[in-house]
Amino acid sequence: MLKQRRLRWLGHVHRMDPDRLPGEVMLGQIAEAKRPVGRPFLRFKDSCKRDMNGFNIPSCSWEERAEMRPEWHRSLREGMIKHNELIRLDQLQQKRLRRAAGPPQESRHICDRCGRKCRSAIGLYSHHNRCRL
């Protein structure tokens, strides 16, 4: 949601008159500015480029899309849906892999009745209530 809002604000500022203060501050360059040694701090521009890559919006031609407000908002909505869907699917895949792997092999919580390995003490307690062997 934050990425979408950041890009919506970028499009809004881009459509503004260039003489207005938000456009000058956000999209302008500081004359003779030097950045510190090491990993530089992220600028607003850097964050927007990263967000555009995540939403599959080409960073070289975003200005043309931003000029047309409905198209810009549509591309942001579609990008957010695709981006969030990919993250959700990846999380589900990771959850499936963790489930398939089962409990850790070095589990200390082993049922004395059937030998089942549980992940936690509360899991073992719950299993004891159901275990009939």
Side-chain angles (χ1 to χ4, degrees):
M1 185 62 109
L2 292 175
K3 294 177 180 185
Q4 182 190 23
R5 295 293 173 134
R6 184 181 300 131
L7 291 176
R8 281 183 72 179
W9 176 248
L10 178 69
H12 177 69
V13 170
H14 180 73
R15 287 187 299 274
M16 279 184 188
D17 186 29
D19 297 335
R20 292 189 54 192
L21 188 60
E24 289 181 9
V25 171
M26 281 183 23
L27 303 175
Q29 299 274 338
I30 299 174
E32 300 177 19
K34 291 187 178 182
R35 298 180 77 187
V37 177
R39 183 177 182 264
F41 294 114
L42 282 181
R43 301 171 291 186
F44 183 77
K45 184 191 313 187
D46 300 329
S47 300
C48 290
K49 273 188 179 179
R50 183 187 58 215
D51 297 341
M52 282 188 246
N53 286 337
F55 283 13
N56 292 327
I57 298 173
S59 59
C60 58
S61 63
W62 70 270
E63 290 97 349
E64 292 86 29
R65 284 189 186 185
E67 288 293 328
M68 297 172 278
R69 186 171 181 253
E71 183 179 329
W72 178 246
H73 283 227
R74 184 173 47 265
S75 62
L76 292 180
R77 258 191 319 274
E78 291 170 0
M80 186 177 78
I81 290 169
K82 289 177 185 175
H83 179 73
N84 288 340
E85 188 65 20
L86 289 175
I87 289 173
R88 189 181 70 80
L89 292 175
D90 185 47
Q91 289 172 345
L92 286 174
Q93 182 66 23
Q94 294 298 323
K95 188 176 180 180
R96 282 188 204 108
L97 291 174
R98 282 194 308 269
R99 269 193 157 157
Q105 297 298 334
E106 62 278 348
S107 177
R108 299 178 314 190
H109 311 287
I110 301 172
C111 178
D112 54 353
R113 297 177 193 162
C114 66
R116 178 180 172 163
K117 296 178 182 177
C118 297
R119 295 180 188 200
S120 63
I122 192 70
L124 180 61
Y125 178 78
S126 177
H127 171 73
H128 269 290
N129 292 336
R130 294 185 311 246
C131 188
R132 304 262 189 247
L133 291 178

